[in-house]
Amino acid sequence: MTTKLAAPALFNSAILVQAIKNSFLKLNPKSLARNPVIFVTEVVAALVTAFWIRDLLSHNGNAWFSGQIAAWLWFTVLFANFAEAVAEGRGKAQAEALRRTRTDTMAKRLIIPETNDRIFTKVSASLLNPGDLVLVETGDLIPADGEIVEGIASVNESAITGESAPVIRESGGDRSAVTGGTTVLSDWIKVKITAAPGNTFIDRMIALVEGAERKKTPNELALSILLAGLTLIFLIAVVTLWGLAGYSGTTLSITVLVALLVTLIPTTIGGLLSAIGIAGMDRLIRFNVIATSGRAVEAAGDVDTLLLDKTGTITYGNRLATAFIPVSGVAEKKLVEAVLLASLADETPEGRSIVALCKSNYSLTEPNLAGQQTEIIAFSATTRISGINIGTRKLRKGAVDAILKYVGVTAEKAPPEFTQAVDKISRTGGTPLGVAENGKLLGVIHLKDVVKPDIKLRFNALRAMGIRTVMVTGDNPITAATIASEAGVDDFIAEATPEDKLAYIRAEQKSGRMIAMCGDGTNDAPALAQADVGVAMQSGTQAAREAGNMVDLDSNPTKLIEIVEIGKQLLMTRGSLTTFSIANDVAKYFAIIPALFIATYPELGALNVMHLASPQSAILSAIIFNALIIIALIPLALRGIAYRPIGASAVLRRNLLIYGLGGLVVPFIGIKIIDLLVAALHLA
Amino acid sequence: MTFVGWSQIIILLALVTFSAWALGGFMAAVFTGKRTFLSQAIAPLECVINRLAGVSLKEQNWQAYALAMLAFNAVGFVVLYGLMRLQSFLPLNPRGFSAVPEALSFNTAMSFVTNTNWQAYAGESTMSHLVQMAGFTVHNFLSAATGIALAVAFTRAFARSSSATIGNFWDDLVKSMLYILLPLSIIVAIAFMTTGIPQTLQGSVDATTLEGVKQTIAMGPMASQEAIKQLGTNGGGFLNANSAHPFENPSAWSNYLSIFAMLVVSGAMPFMFGQMVGDKRQGRALFITMGLFIVVGTAIVYWAETSGNPIIQALGIDPLQGNMEGKELRFGQAMTALFVVATTGLSCGAVNAMHSSLTPLGGLVPLFMIQLGEVLPGGVGSGLYGILVIAVLTVFIAGLMVGRTPDYLGKKIEAKEMKLAMLALLILPLVILGFSAVAAMLPTALSSLANAGPHGLTEILYAYSSAAGNNGSAFAGLNANTGWFNTTLGISMFLGRFAYIVPMLAIAGSLAAKTKIPASSGSFPTHGPMFVALLVGVILILGGLQYFPSLALSPIVEHFLMLAGKTF
């Protein structure tokens, strides 16, 4: 089950108020220095403000204009801060839910852990140290992350998973990890504490979600360098323009040069960059997946190969009936009817699937056996057959050799169709069951591991994005091959051991590929650690959760696919907004350059293709557009741009058309509209 | 524009394309150590040279490669500077020229070492034959060979996987010289001689004109220097008038050959790249990108020049001729337009027309071609590594848009590469715009200008663009032989070449060390029309955004002023 937390409304009022407050707090140059583009904007905003004060004092008539420019420069910085603050606010809102579980609980620390005596002292959970042993009994909150060393209990983990059904946790094996903040519903367990106070799983989750521990991810860093480089280039272009204009007989004021600079440097993407990153983590959390670093989210977008466990991800995990094959001389209808009767009392998933198949494909209804003398023959490990006696009818089904033994026929003497059918089923990785009535063979039931219906389509979509899927299974190679071809995976590892997985991952990485996998067992831990994206199941062991770089709170391995999509979406959003931001500059040149030089060279008015009202309104409109576009794009940055699995070329063409071409055209329209307003309101 | 004109352009470019393709394959074979048809003749010579030089041919990491290249060029610079300063004491100085002044020697030595061939002097009346041959011609070869070697090293960074080294500078240098530049130069020199270009050690001929005036006509080993001047995209002429002079470029045929020779080696580089990285389509995409700029640039110049100048036409000059000021009748409008664009798209800088006399838009194109980074197709070698740095940037932005950490040819582009690429890309605007802005405000510098108004500004911008881009062509109208210009242009040439190369080689080292990721349908294809379009877009927008304000004040406003009938 994929539970999806509801996303907080994009502009939830509580988040908004806090975000506006934070936008001002973030004006602190120390924190802004992390973001070179916006930092430069802040510095020049301060500069223009100083000029505005000078203009005010000297009454030179420029104050109205320089004041407006200064105001919009500050807005540009504030809007960028606001974008980040909103993203953080949304993360915090989600962390809040987690935090509620972390009320201070009292722990029952065992005094003499070596003995079976349950003598404990009550201590605050915050005083527990790794290695301490605590007793948790029915109704208690588990005080901190740990490993069960003794006992078995059902635990309510809804605090972190949102799933209300309790899970069983027991010592030894793969289900021994418990998380602080979850509740024991029945029985008792002894837990060895593994996390220091303040560093439990939930603590780290909260820190990550809130963005408190956010470091720049590698790709974010590379992009920041590009943006800083562009900022420097434009700084050179603008500063030197002062000299070149001087030659041409135009003295440019610092105010207009600053306006030109700020419209050219990539403030749009610079302002939204960190919001995009935070929102990416956020989207994962809404899928109930916690990444231990932003780097892991980014790596998910780069994954080349997905290692998927067969059971639970690709197949339902139970063998289900898919066909009934009668021997000659037996009508199909008779076989199906017999099968249905023989399975009525069979409560195993196989049995239920047989009944379901009879009902759906052969439109049989459950016969009314009331009043008839029935005797149910339950499955036993010695006979390996089950069935029912109805009056004189003795209906049986079971393993092929057991059924043959029951009807008293050797394998060689069995009807040829029967043997053929059995062979064919085994060869394709299925399981045959024999059916007999009153000592006579009727036919065969084909049981097989059924591939989830939509999984093939998803794999095709992944393939279109260049991602290989590899199925990992403990089945023999024949069974594995059959399911692999049915599910449409690119490769499979049969009879896989954890070492095989690790070796496969290493081999793939050596050839330059990036691997994602999920796992839950302690023996998965090395592979989880080795994989570029290792998704540990929340239901898994502490070792597995420590080894992976993401934890799926729903323990649903299929989610690996969504994780990859979210990673890709994150990178795509960054790339598209960068393109948009740079493409915007073309229109801004056409607004500002003629405005700067029209006094000296009236002929340059030919470049004023937007027919902006006056030089001052042109400059003001460009700078207003530049600030407002940040606000306009915040929803997109938080939501991420649409992801479609249509192959790299098609994706690029689409995004280039929308954000590249759009980036060229939109500002021409936007600046013109703003100019009309500015002129109508006599702002310039 | 005429049908005949366009036919000449198209046929010539088709010939260049075909020859570049063949030469690219040959070069790939040479630099991957395969036997070629020249091996039998040249391999022994190569052995001897390597032994005499006594250099180790062991594979080098990028630092060692860069150090070898810098050391080699430093020695070359000192020797050339010495040759000029001491020419009066040295042989082969039939006309007895005195020592070249300090600033000019600095500027000229830097100019030839950096493959710029900016000439602040008139060759025929300043430099001895020894300087011309042992200095300039030798550096015409060496600077071109250095460029090829660097491009080969950068190519290896993409071709190799998890490699600590990028080749050996000495090996690449000697191979570029012996297998590529020398054989081609011999062929082209002979071809030039057949078109009538002089090839003699005689200093000059005295002639008496019809009016009875005595004239000294400069002579010299021109055909051989002309060959490497074009092949190595050097562009430094033996004579001041360069390829407009009837000795350097006597006929339409020698003009065809000049254009062909200057384009062919740079044009071959992307083909070599494709072959060496094991995917010819990659090279083709780069070649098409470069070609598009040449064709469109030529079309604009051709159109602007044939449309002519309305101010002159108003004086009653035949409008059918278009703007013929500063052009040679024997080449015609079409072949002048192609020459103008080729020589600036390349970092060649030979000129067969006076660029200052082009119409404003016609002059804007060569200036902008230089400012776009000399990558279209750029100097021999330097064009390839230049466009590859821009391709890295393009791939970074585009790759993100498909939702992956971008990779180019299987090499991930990460923070380190971005840092170095931005460092390299900052050099040109910093040098061009920085020096131009200072010069535009400096009375000493302004006294060198022949024209006022926007045209004067174009002269300054052009000079610094030409120097920093290592092009070497002059816009004319600017007296560059002054202390200020000799020094600042020399510095521009140095930074434009070496401050770009070092980060570029660092990128090469970083990329070579990376594991090559196998391509998948999820990776962004860098061989199709989409990549070409993107690369064109990035080159244009990046270049346009940097230089648009300055160009608006020079050729662009001049164009509008011309339409308005204003002059300065």
Side-chain angles (χ1 to χ4, degrees), chain A residues 219 222-223 225-226 229-230 232-234 236-237 240-241 243-248 301-302 304 463-466 510-514 568 571-572 575-576 579 585 589 593 597 601 603-604 606-607 648-649 651-653 655-656, chain B residues 393 396-398 400-405 412 414-415 418-419 422 426 429-430 433-434 437 440-441 446 449 453-454 456-457 515-518 520-525 530 534 542 545-546 548-550 552-553 557 560-561 566:
Chain A
N219 174 268
L223 188 55
I225 292 169
L226 172 75
L230 288 175
L232 257 177
I233 288 180
F234 289 124
I236 295 171
T240 56
L241 189 59
L244 299 174
Y247 168 93
S248 313
D302 285 347
D304 300 282
R463 200 167 301 115
M465 291 308 287
K510 208 161 177 219
S511 63
R513 293 198 178 88
M514 293 189 58
K568 286 203 174 297
L571 295 174
M572 277 158 71
S576 300
T579 309
D585 283 1
Y589 264 139
I593 293 293
F597 300 112
Y601 296 125
E603 292 79 8
L604 274 181
L607 292 179
S649 292
V651 167
L652 182 64
R653 195 172 313 126
N655 288 340
L656 210 54
Chain B
L393 194 75
F396 182 79
I397 299 171
L400 279 182
M401 271 195 283
V402 304
R404 280 171 72 98
T405 297
K412 279 217 164 105
E414 290 164 301
M418 283 317 289
K419 204 185 299 172
M422 290 318 294
L426 267 172
L430 184 66
L433 294 173
M441 300 297 280
L446 293 176
L449 292 182
L457 191 58
T515 310
K516 220 171 151 82
I517 317 163
S520 74
S521 56
S523 36
F524 159 57
M530 182 113 76
L534 255 172
L542 196 70
L545 292 179
Q546 290 171 34
F548 184 76
S550 58
L553 286 176
V557 72
F560 290 120
L561 291 170
K566 280 197 193 165

Side-chain angles (χ1 to χ4, degrees), chain A residues 381-649:
Chain A
T382 45
T383 59
R384 290 190 294 136
I385 51 177
S386 63
I388 191 167
N389 292 342
I390 307 169
T392 54
R393 293 179 76 182
K394 291 192 169 104
L395 299 153
R396 295 290 182 276
K397 72 173 200 296
V400 168
D401 53 338
I403 282 286
L404 286 176
K405 201 171 152 201
Y406 170 74
V407 298
V409 184
T410 57
E412 296 79 38
K413 294 227 174 100
E417 319 82 85
F418 182 84
T419 333
Q420 274 166 22
V422 165
D423 278 355
K424 194 175 160 211
I425 293 167
S426 317
R427 234 188 2 261
T428 57
T431 308
L433 284 186
V435 185
E437 182 176 357
N438 295 340
K440 183 173 170 281
L441 271 181
L442 292 182
V444 189
I445 303 170
H446 188 170
L447 288 181
K448 70 176 189 183
D449 214 354
V450 174
V451 169
K452 289 183 179 174
D454 58 341
I455 204 84
K456 193 165 186 167
L457 287 175
R458 300 199 70 170
F459 289 160
N460 284 342
L462 285 171
R463 200 167 301 115
M465 291 308 287
I467 299 167
R468 291 171 72 243
T469 43
V470 178
M471 182 180 84
V472 181
T473 169
D475 291 344
N476 64 53
I478 295 171
T479 313
T482 312
I483 296 176
S485 76
E486 202 173 322
V489 294
D490 298 287
D491 197 3
F492 63 87
I493 317 172
E495 291 170 349
T497 61
E499 293 75 41
D500 289 342
K501 272 196 206 177
L502 187 61
Y504 192 91
I505 292 174
R506 289 212 169 120
E508 287 279 294
Q509 284 175 334
K510 208 161 177 219
S511 63
R513 293 198 178 88
M514 293 189 58
I515 318 294
M517 69 164 285
C518 49
D520 54 3
T522 300
N523 53 11
D524 281 331
L528 279 170
Q530 180 74 34
D532 301 283
V533 177
V535 183
M537 300 294 114
Q538 166 65 14
S539 61
T541 60
Q542 188 67 25
R545 291 186 338 201
E546 292 288 337
N549 47 16
M550 289 192 195
V551 176
D552 178 10
L553 301 178
D554 298 331
S555 306
N556 170 11
T558 323
K559 256 198 238 162
L560 210 45
I561 298 171
E562 274 100 0
I563 292 172
V564 168
E565 289 178 358
I566 289 171
K568 286 203 174 297
Q569 202 184 19
L570 171 72
L571 295 174
M572 277 158 71
T573 309
R574 272 189 205 145
S576 300
L577 290 184
T578 305
T579 309
F580 185 84
S581 190
I582 297 173
N584 269 209
D585 283 1
V586 175
K588 293 171 189 164
Y589 264 139
F590 279 97
I592 295 186
I593 293 293
L596 293 185
F597 300 112
I598 201 100
T600 319
Y601 296 125
E603 292 79 8
L604 274 181
L607 292 179
N608 182 8
V609 290
M610 286 173 270
H611 298 286
L612 304 178
S614 72
Q616 291 204 333
S617 83
I619 294 167
L620 195 57
S621 305
I623 207 114
I624 294 175
F625 175 84
N626 194 55
L628 290 182
I629 196 77
I630 297 179
I631 287 287
L633 289 175
I634 289 178
L636 185 67
L638 296 184
R639 219 173 35 229
I641 68 168
Y643 166 85
R644 284 182 176 74
I646 45 176
S649 292

Side-chain angles (χ1 to χ4, degrees), chain B residues 23 122 129 195-196 208 262 330 447 465 553:
Chain B
L23 180 60
H129 281 354
T195 66
T208 312
M262 69 170 119
R330 62 186 183 283
S447 64
S465 302
L553 286 176

